[in-house]
Amino acid sequence: MTGMASSSSVALFSLLCFLSLFLPPNARTETKFTIDAASSRIEVSVEAESPRLSDRQLKHWVQNAADAVVAYYGRYPVPHAFLQIRPFDGEGVRGGRTFSMHGGSIRIAVGNETTEDDLSTDWMLTHEMVHLTFPSVPDEHHWIEEGIATYVEPIARIQAGQFDASRMWFELVRDMPKGLPQEGDQGLDHTHTWGRTYWGGALFCFLADVEIRRQTQNKKGLQDALRGILNAGGDMREDWELEKALQTGDRATGTDVLRKLYERMRNSPTETDLDALWKELGIREANGTVQFQDNAPLAAIRKSITAARTDK
């Protein structure tokens, strides 16, 4: 009996190997796996004929994004999230969308020519996961949702040991001007251009972070405000008024920075001298890189913004 079973197994294995020669190189059935993120779970499905990347490589990518969010917030925002990875022809990651349904769901596309190196430098999945950390607010405040995700994503990756602080500051110096008001601007709540939604929102977060640290002698920052909002139940599954979220964040820092900054920026353009602020922070851009000056007035604040938290 053992000999007959063994012969049949060998024959079946040989047949499967032969048939596999005629399958497209990227063909795969849908696969599923689970990622643990602190005390939360992320259920991942990878559609058929998705990227040629292995499940091990995709798991590592998802785990890194989840770890970055946990590093910044101290925990994963929802107890059970769903992630759907879909294919497209090409290279890279694109099309990320996050929804509150099913307790938190993310859809994202990975090209069939994407490499493991591409995944190691991806920021989009972390950006999408950050969306889960803030309550759903009315449409006119979409800038705060995208602004938080834009500003927090690189800091979270730095705190998780996945990104370089000097690169982040270089990119902020390069890109933050996109968030400044242009002609005809009517404030963040009324100017829904791409630049004001993403980078105007990020500018709000950046200015709030620096000012909270000024007022608290660098003991608190935007990270504390955002953790306070999340820990008060303000994740994406909840519908809040923006004022409630800002008040909750201010209570966590013992300041009124978020509310006052919102009053300044919501209905009218607010000028910001970014060049002066970079100088105060000790950041100097030169030849595609940044140089740090640690004797600058706000150098300690610059360092604290990206420093890893010791309290989880």
Side-chain angles (χ1 to χ4, degrees):
M1 293 290 292
T2 303
M4 291 177 62
S6 177
S7 299
S8 299
S9 298
V10 170
L12 177 60
F13 178 75
S14 299
L15 177 61
L16 291 173
C17 289
F18 174 77
L19 291 174
S20 70
L21 296 176
F22 298 94
L23 293 173
N26 291 333
R28 64 189 293 169
T29 59
E30 181 182 27
T31 59
K32 296 184 178 182
F33 55 83
T34 301
I35 294 294
D36 292 326
S39 59
S40 299
R41 304 191 75 190
I42 305 170
E43 301 288 340
V44 184
S45 66
V46 186
E47 286 191 5
E49 296 189 15
S50 254
R52 62 184 178 183
L53 296 157
S54 67
D55 286 345
R56 177 192 63 79
Q57 292 167 325
L58 291 171
K59 285 180 181 179
H60 184 66
W61 171 53
V62 178
Q63 188 73 64
N64 274 352
D67 289 348
V69 172
V70 171
Y72 191 87
Y73 286 91
R75 65 181 179 89
Y76 202 74
V78 294
H80 197 173
F82 296 87
L83 170 63
Q84 181 185 43
I85 300 173
R86 298 183 292 178
F88 71 89
D89 291 332
E91 183 178 0
V93 180
R94 72 185 189 192
R97 295 287 305 276
T98 304
F99 308 89
S100 59
M101 62 185 184
H102 307 306
S105 303
I106 298 172
R107 296 175 186 166
I108 201 162
V110 177
N112 54 19
E113 298 298 323
T114 302
T115 66
E116 188 171 19
D117 286 343
D118 293 328
L119 292 187
S120 70
T121 58
D122 171 64
W123 55 268
M124 188 173 292
L125 184 55
T126 305
H127 177 105
E128 294 304 321
M129 287 186 179
V130 172
H131 278 308
L132 294 170
T133 68
F134 195 78
S136 297
V137 294
D139 288 346
E140 65 265 29
H141 310 310
H142 186 51
W143 59 267
I144 190 69
E145 298 168 335
E146 293 298 347
I148 288 171
T150 300
Y151 181 70
V152 166
E153 167 265 310
I155 298 173
R157 290 167 62 209
I158 291 166
Q159 292 184 349
Q162 301 169 12
F163 196 48
D164 181 69
S166 61
R167 185 65 193 176
M168 183 203 84
W169 286 114
F170 169 76
E171 292 179 356
L172 286 189
V173 171
R174 180 192 66 194
D175 294 331
M176 197 65 81
K178 298 173 184 176
L180 294 172
Q182 304 298 312
E183 184 177 356
D185 190 277
Q186 298 179 7
L188 289 172
D189 278 352
H190 311 287
T191 309
H192 305 303
T193 62
W194 176 86
R196 286 293 267 164
T197 298
Y198 286 81
W199 285 104
L203 177 62
F204 175 92
C205 293
F206 172 51
L207 296 176
D209 206 354
V210 172
E211 186 58 27
I212 292 169
R213 293 178 185 279
R214 282 186 202 257
Q215 293 190 17
T216 63
Q217 291 73 53
N218 212 11
K219 295 177 182 176
K220 301 281 187 179
L222 182 68
Q223 186 170 12
D224 298 279
L226 296 179
R227 283 188 177 198
I229 294 166
L230 178 62
N231 292 336
D235 62 58
M236 194 184 199
R237 298 172 297 172
E238 301 297 321
D239 293 323
W240 282 19
E241 292 298 324
L242 179 56
E243 288 83 354
K244 177 182 176 179
L246 300 181
Q247 290 169 2
T248 304
D250 279 340
R251 280 198 301 272
T253 63
T255 72
D256 57 4
V257 169
L258 294 176
R259 284 170 290 173
K260 284 191 172 180
L261 189 61
Y262 175 55
E263 286 302 317
R264 283 176 48 209
M265 300 181 73
R266 65 183 298 184
N267 293 322
S268 60
T270 302
E271 295 299 326
T272 301
D273 189 344
L274 283 173
D275 289 339
L277 189 49
W278 303 134
K279 186 175 180 180
E280 283 192 278
L281 290 164
I283 302 169
R284 180 174 176 270
E285 190 274 333
N287 300 321
T289 61
V290 291
Q291 299 172 347
F292 297 134
Q293 297 175 314
D294 289 344
N295 60 347
L298 301 183
I301 285 178
R302 183 199 74 231
K303 294 177 183 179
S304 293
I305 286 173
T306 56
R309 294 284 291 251
T310 56
D311 59 317
K312 301 299 183 184

